[in-house]
Amino acid sequence: MKISAGEQLVVEVKKSVLVGILPTTHPDMIDKLKLFLLKGEIIPKYDGTLIDTGLSPITFYLPEEKKAELVRLAAADGISLQEWIEKRLD
């Protein structure tokens, strides 16, 4: 989970299931999730509610020196390595 506070509170979560949270037992919570969701889907499941972000991980390997250089560049911009790479891909 990543939380950013500014003019708005932004919460980013990984794909996860809220076990025991069903539309029949917690309709207000499900409605709030749907209302404030910017990306992804809220999907009812048999055992709870799935928050599907639509994100998929990518794993790749670099020499340690290259990774350290990328981390240093991201830190110089004041952002995480993931944010730094995402900016380069957009």
Side-chain angles (χ1 to χ4, degrees):
M1 179 184 304
K2 178 180 174 184
I3 301 174
S4 305
E7 197 170 300
Q8 294 182 341
L9 181 64
V10 177
V11 179
E12 297 177 44
V13 297
K14 293 181 181 180
K15 186 175 188 174
S16 55
V17 176
L18 304 174
V19 177
I21 306 296
L22 300 164
T24 54
T25 59
H26 297 83
D28 293 340
M29 181 182 285
I30 302 298
D31 289 342
K32 291 287 186 204
L33 287 171
K34 288 179 180 178
L35 178 65
F36 293 107
L37 183 70
L38 298 179
K39 294 179 186 173
E41 296 180 75
I42 304 296
I43 303 169
K45 305 292 268 183
Y46 70 92
D47 61 343
T49 298
L50 172 67
I51 300 175
D52 186 350
T53 60
L55 299 176
S56 180
I58 297 176
T59 302
F60 65 98
Y61 297 90
L62 297 171
E64 288 181 20
E65 300 81 27
K66 184 64 174 177
K67 180 181 176 184
E69 175 65 13
L70 295 177
V71 169
R72 186 190 64 73
L73 292 169
D77 287 348
I79 56 178
S80 70
L81 179 57
Q82 178 169 328
E83 291 167 324
W84 189 85
I85 292 171
E86 286 175 357
K87 285 176 75 174
R88 268 61 193 169
L89 294 175
D90 286 338

